Amino acid sequence: RNGFQLLETGREALRARDALLAAARDTIDAQYDIWNADASGRYLAGRLLAAAERGVLVRVLLDDMNVAGRDGDLARLAAH
């Protein structure tokens, strides 16, 4: 039940992540080296919060690149 899929575009990657977030029932473990505050970053953050709201345990491992000035936002997410 493990596997991988090669994705050719960012759009495909976003759709795949969205589908995985929607299907999650127990846990989500996400790891990102870079998470920008652009439209897709905000969208995925919202989807992770929605998953947490429906009872899914969400854990995110995030490198601190590109997070300058966003400590408050990250602290609110961590406290959720």
Side-chain angles (χ1 to χ4, degrees), residues 64-79:
D64 66 352
M65 291 176 65
N66 296 337
V67 297
R70 294 173 41 205
D71 290 341
D73 293 336
L74 294 172
R76 282 188 291 282
L77 288 172

Side-chain angles (χ1 to χ4, degrees), residues 46-74:
R47 298 290 284 146
L48 286 168
L49 282 171
E53 288 291 323
R54 67 175 192 267
V56 176
L57 173 65
V58 177
R59 296 180 290 201
V60 178
L61 177 62
L62 178 63
D63 194 312
D64 66 352
M65 291 176 65
N66 296 337
V67 297
R70 294 173 41 205
D71 290 341
D73 293 336
L74 294 172

Side-chain angles (χ1 to χ4, degrees), residues 13-31:
L14 182 61
R15 278 192 222 132
R17 285 181 180 90
D18 193 35
L20 289 168
L21 293 171
R25 298 290 172 243
D26 298 314
T27 62
I28 295 171
D29 292 309
Q31 177 180 342

